[in-house]
Amino acid sequence: SFRLPTFNDLYYPAVGTRSLLPEDAHQFNIGVTYAAYPGNSHSSFTLTLDAYRNQAKNKIVAFPTGNLHQWAMMNLGKVSITGIDLSLEGVVALPRQSQLHLSGNYTFQSALDKTDPKKSTYNHQIIYTPRHSGSGLAALHLPWMEVAYTLVWSGERYSNGYNSNESRMSGYADHSLSVSKGFPIRFGTVDLQLEALNLLNRNYEIVRNYPMPGRSYRMNISINF
């Protein structure tokens, strides 16, 4: 695969780097998918497993500068990525025209800097890339409404290319709940959605020193013609 830097990568004020080189990678992947349709119901399950090995050259990554309010784009000369993706999707048929949709995925990714054996960052996990991460969704579709629960989970990461104890960041889990309902109107439908975000009210950090907001609520209204 071959990827040119985007316009923002090159020219966005205080972030872009005009000397960025294109990123190219040799990628090897092997995967298997298993699908099951139990009985004569409308239920189904799909399990997918992928294992891959990528050798990237001039990988384009974002790094925080001395001022944490500003990030900059740069190339990492060589990055070796070994990973596994596991995903599960399922639909369970319920009485009264209802369905339960389930999905989840888990990723293991070892992304090691292989640029220069003489540097302290050699063979260390690249910045802000967790080795373990995943997500999950459970959505109950009823004839009159939909209720959904989502989970986003990340393991430990490092805020520096040198994986020291000082740069290690704790993992986090974000739980959210939503309720949505559609109302027919003369020219289409109005969809109303209520969401409760970060249910556990944890001020976790995705980027060091920038905690995410605690529990919050959001309402979305959309009109479809």
Side-chain angles (χ1 to χ4, degrees), residues 109 125-133 153-159 163-165 167-172 205-206:
Q109 187 176 91
Q125 186 83 351
I126 65 176
I127 188 171
Y128 286 115
T129 302
R131 282 189 171 86
H132 306 277
S133 61
W153 167 76
S154 172
E156 292 183 343
R157 299 95 66 223
Y158 292 91
S159 61
N163 300 168
S164 64
N165 289 331
S167 64
R168 182 186 292 116
M169 298 181 62
S170 300
Y172 64 87
E205 292 181 341
I206 296 178

Short mmCIF file of all heavy atoms in Angstrom, two decimals, residues 109 125-133 153-159 163-165 167-172 205-206:
data_model
loop_
_atom_site.label_atom_id
_atom_site.label_comp_id
_atom_site.label_asym_id
_atom_site.label_seq_id
_atom_site.Cartn_x
_atom_site.Cartn_y
_atom_site.Cartn_z
N GLN A 109 -2.01 -5.27 18.79
CA GLN A 109 -1.14 -4.67 17.79
C GLN A 109 0.19 -4.29 18.42
O GLN A 109 0.26 -3.45 19.30
CB GLN A 109 -1.79 -3.44 17.16
CG GLN A 109 -1.00 -2.86 16.00
CD GLN A 109 -1.72 -1.70 15.34
OE1 GLN A 109 -1.52 -0.55 15.70
NE2 GLN A 109 -2.58 -2.01 14.37
N GLN A 125 7.27 0.44 21.40
CA GLN A 125 5.95 0.69 20.84
C GLN A 125 5.83 2.16 20.46
O GLN A 125 6.22 3.05 21.22
CB GLN A 125 4.87 0.32 21.87
CG GLN A 125 3.45 0.40 21.36
CD GLN A 125 3.02 -0.85 20.62
OE1 GLN A 125 3.82 -1.73 20.33
NE2 GLN A 125 1.74 -0.95 20.31
N ILE A 126 5.27 2.44 19.25
CA ILE A 126 5.17 3.82 18.82
C ILE A 126 4.13 4.57 19.65
O ILE A 126 3.25 3.99 20.27
CB ILE A 126 4.86 3.92 17.31
CG1 ILE A 126 3.48 3.35 16.99
CG2 ILE A 126 5.93 3.22 16.49
CD1 ILE A 126 3.08 3.53 15.53
N ILE A 127 4.24 5.86 19.63
CA ILE A 127 3.50 6.73 20.52
C ILE A 127 1.98 6.57 20.36
O ILE A 127 1.46 6.44 19.24
CB ILE A 127 3.92 8.19 20.25
CG1 ILE A 127 3.32 9.15 21.29
CG2 ILE A 127 3.56 8.62 18.85
CD1 ILE A 127 3.89 10.55 21.19
N TYR A 128 1.28 6.56 21.50
CA TYR A 128 -0.19 6.53 21.57
C TYR A 128 -0.82 5.36 20.81
O TYR A 128 -1.95 5.46 20.33
CB TYR A 128 -0.79 7.85 21.08
CG TYR A 128 -0.60 8.98 22.07
CD1 TYR A 128 0.19 10.08 21.75
CD2 TYR A 128 -1.21 8.95 23.31
CE1 TYR A 128 0.37 11.11 22.65
CE2 TYR A 128 -1.04 9.97 24.22
CZ TYR A 128 -0.24 11.06 23.90
OH TYR A 128 -0.07 12.08 24.80
N THR A 129 -0.11 4.26 20.72
CA THR A 129 -0.66 3.08 20.06
C THR A 129 -0.78 1.96 21.08
O THR A 129 0.23 1.37 21.48
CB THR A 129 0.23 2.63 18.89
OG1 THR A 129 0.36 3.70 17.95
CG2 THR A 129 -0.35 1.42 18.19
N PRO A 130 -1.98 1.63 21.55
CA PRO A 130 -2.12 0.57 22.56
C PRO A 130 -1.88 -0.81 21.95
O PRO A 130 -2.19 -1.04 20.77
CB PRO A 130 -3.58 0.71 23.02
CG PRO A 130 -4.28 1.32 21.85
CD PRO A 130 -3.28 2.23 21.19
N ARG A 131 -1.33 -1.71 22.75
CA ARG A 131 -1.19 -3.09 22.27
C ARG A 131 -2.53 -3.81 22.27
O ARG A 131 -2.77 -4.69 21.46
CB ARG A 131 -0.17 -3.83 23.15
CG ARG A 131 1.27 -3.51 22.83
CD ARG A 131 2.23 -4.43 23.58
NE ARG A 131 3.61 -4.27 23.12
CZ ARG A 131 4.44 -3.37 23.57
NH1 ARG A 131 4.04 -2.54 24.53
NH2 ARG A 131 5.68 -3.27 23.10
N HIS A 132 -3.39 -3.46 23.21
CA HIS A 132 -4.68 -4.12 23.34
C HIS A 132 -5.80 -3.07 23.28
O HIS A 132 -5.72 -2.04 23.97
CB HIS A 132 -4.78 -4.88 24.66
CG HIS A 132 -3.66 -5.86 24.88
ND1 HIS A 132 -3.67 -7.13 24.34
CD2 HIS A 132 -2.48 -5.73 25.56
CE1 HIS A 132 -2.56 -7.76 24.69
NE2 HIS A 132 -1.83 -6.93 25.42
N SER A 133 -6.81 -3.32 22.49
CA SER A 133 -7.96 -2.42 22.40
C SER A 133 -9.17 -3.20 21.91
O SER A 133 -9.03 -4.32 21.38
CB SER A 133 -7.66 -1.23 21.48
OG SER A 133 -7.39 -1.68 20.17
N TRP A 153 -12.86 0.43 24.57
CA TRP A 153 -11.85 0.08 25.56
C TRP A 153 -10.46 0.16 24.94
O TRP A 153 -10.26 -0.19 23.78
CB TRP A 153 -12.10 -1.34 26.08
CG TRP A 153 -10.96 -1.91 26.86
CD1 TRP A 153 -10.60 -1.59 28.15
CD2 TRP A 153 -10.01 -2.87 26.41
NE1 TRP A 153 -9.49 -2.31 28.52
CE2 TRP A 153 -9.10 -3.10 27.47
CE3 TRP A 153 -9.84 -3.57 25.21
CZ2 TRP A 153 -8.05 -4.00 27.35
CZ3 TRP A 153 -8.78 -4.45 25.10
CH2 TRP A 153 -7.91 -4.67 26.17
N SER A 154 -9.51 0.68 25.72
CA SER A 154 -8.13 0.75 25.27
C SER A 154 -7.22 0.35 26.41
O SER A 154 -7.45 0.73 27.58
CB SER A 154 -7.79 2.18 24.80
OG SER A 154 -6.40 2.29 24.53
N GLY A 155 -6.17 -0.39 26.10
CA GLY A 155 -5.19 -0.76 27.10
C GLY A 155 -4.15 0.35 27.29
O GLY A 155 -4.33 1.49 26.84
N GLU A 156 -3.06 0.03 27.94
CA GLU A 156 -2.01 1.01 28.20
C GLU A 156 -1.39 1.51 26.90
O GLU A 156 -1.27 0.78 25.93
CB GLU A 156 -0.93 0.40 29.09
CG GLU A 156 -1.38 0.09 30.51
CD GLU A 156 -0.24 -0.45 31.36
OE1 GLU A 156 0.78 -0.87 30.78
OE2 GLU A 156 -0.36 -0.43 32.59
N ARG A 157 -0.99 2.80 26.92
CA ARG A 157 -0.26 3.38 25.80
C ARG A 157 0.90 4.17 26.37
O ARG A 157 1.02 4.35 27.58
CB ARG A 157 -1.12 4.35 24.97
CG ARG A 157 -2.33 3.75 24.33
CD ARG A 157 -3.57 3.94 25.18
NE ARG A 157 -3.96 5.33 25.32
CZ ARG A 157 -4.35 5.90 26.45
NH1 ARG A 157 -4.39 5.21 27.56
NH2 ARG A 157 -4.71 7.16 26.49
N TYR A 158 1.72 4.70 25.48
CA TYR A 158 2.85 5.53 25.89
C TYR A 158 2.76 6.88 25.19
O TYR A 158 2.46 6.95 23.99
CB TYR A 158 4.18 4.86 25.55
CG TYR A 158 4.45 3.62 26.37
CD1 TYR A 158 4.05 2.36 25.91
CD2 TYR A 158 5.07 3.71 27.61
CE1 TYR A 158 4.28 1.23 26.66
CE2 TYR A 158 5.31 2.57 28.37
CZ TYR A 158 4.91 1.34 27.89
OH TYR A 158 5.12 0.21 28.64
N SER A 159 3.01 7.94 25.94
CA SER A 159 2.95 9.30 25.39
C SER A 159 4.29 9.74 24.83
O SER A 159 4.46 10.91 24.48
CB SER A 159 2.50 10.29 26.48
OG SER A 159 3.43 10.31 27.56
N ASN A 163 9.49 4.08 25.70
CA ASN A 163 8.47 3.50 26.59
C ASN A 163 8.97 3.41 28.03
O ASN A 163 9.28 2.33 28.53
CB ASN A 163 8.06 2.12 26.09
CG ASN A 163 7.46 2.16 24.69
OD1 ASN A 163 7.29 1.13 24.07
ND2 ASN A 163 7.15 3.34 24.17
N SER A 164 9.03 4.53 28.71
CA SER A 164 9.45 4.56 30.11
C SER A 164 8.23 4.51 31.02
O SER A 164 7.08 4.72 30.57
CB SER A 164 10.26 5.82 30.40
OG SER A 164 9.45 6.97 30.23
N ASN A 165 8.46 4.25 32.30
CA ASN A 165 7.35 4.26 33.26
C ASN A 165 6.70 5.64 33.34
O ASN A 165 5.49 5.75 33.56
CB ASN A 165 7.85 3.84 34.65
CG ASN A 165 8.21 2.38 34.72
OD1 ASN A 165 7.64 1.55 34.00
ND2 ASN A 165 9.18 2.03 35.57
N SER A 167 6.22 7.72 30.94
CA SER A 167 5.36 8.02 29.78
C SER A 167 4.20 7.03 29.64
O SER A 167 3.39 7.16 28.73
CB SER A 167 6.19 8.01 28.49
OG SER A 167 6.72 6.72 28.23
N ARG A 168 4.13 6.02 30.53
CA ARG A 168 3.05 5.04 30.43
C ARG A 168 1.73 5.67 30.85
O ARG A 168 1.63 6.36 31.86
CB ARG A 168 3.34 3.84 31.31
CG ARG A 168 2.25 2.75 31.20
CD ARG A 168 2.44 1.61 32.17
NE ARG A 168 3.62 0.83 31.82
CZ ARG A 168 4.70 0.73 32.59
NH1 ARG A 168 4.75 1.37 33.75
NH2 ARG A 168 5.72 -0.02 32.21
N MET A 169 0.69 5.44 30.06
CA MET A 169 -0.65 5.95 30.34
C MET A 169 -1.59 4.78 30.60
O MET A 169 -1.54 3.76 29.90
CB MET A 169 -1.17 6.78 29.18
CG MET A 169 -0.34 8.02 28.89
SD MET A 169 -1.02 8.97 27.51
CE MET A 169 -2.63 9.41 28.16
N SER A 170 -2.43 4.92 31.60
CA SER A 170 -3.36 3.86 31.97
C SER A 170 -4.41 3.65 30.88
O SER A 170 -4.73 4.56 30.12
CB SER A 170 -4.06 4.20 33.29
OG SER A 170 -3.12 4.35 34.33
N GLY A 171 -4.93 2.45 30.83
CA GLY A 171 -6.01 2.16 29.91
C GLY A 171 -7.32 2.79 30.38
O GLY A 171 -7.41 3.34 31.48
N TYR A 172 -8.33 2.71 29.53
CA TYR A 172 -9.61 3.31 29.89
C TYR A 172 -10.73 2.53 29.20
O TYR A 172 -10.52 1.79 28.25
CB TYR A 172 -9.67 4.78 29.48
CG TYR A 172 -9.59 5.01 27.99
CD1 TYR A 172 -10.73 4.98 27.18
CD2 TYR A 172 -8.37 5.25 27.37
CE1 TYR A 172 -10.64 5.18 25.82
CE2 TYR A 172 -8.27 5.44 26.01
CZ TYR A 172 -9.42 5.41 25.23
OH TYR A 172 -9.33 5.60 23.87
N GLU A 205 -7.88 9.85 30.11
CA GLU A 205 -7.08 10.63 29.17
C GLU A 205 -6.79 9.81 27.92
O GLU A 205 -6.26 8.70 28.01
CB GLU A 205 -5.76 11.05 29.81
CG GLU A 205 -5.92 12.07 30.93
CD GLU A 205 -4.58 12.47 31.52
OE1 GLU A 205 -3.58 11.72 31.34
OE2 GLU A 205 -4.52 13.52 32.17
N ILE A 206 -7.14 10.34 26.77
CA ILE A 206 -6.70 9.78 25.50
C ILE A 206 -5.34 10.37 25.13
O ILE A 206 -4.44 9.69 24.67
CB ILE A 206 -7.73 10.06 24.39
CG1 ILE A 206 -9.05 9.34 24.72
CG2 ILE A 206 -7.22 9.59 23.03
CD1 ILE A 206 -10.15 9.59 23.72
#
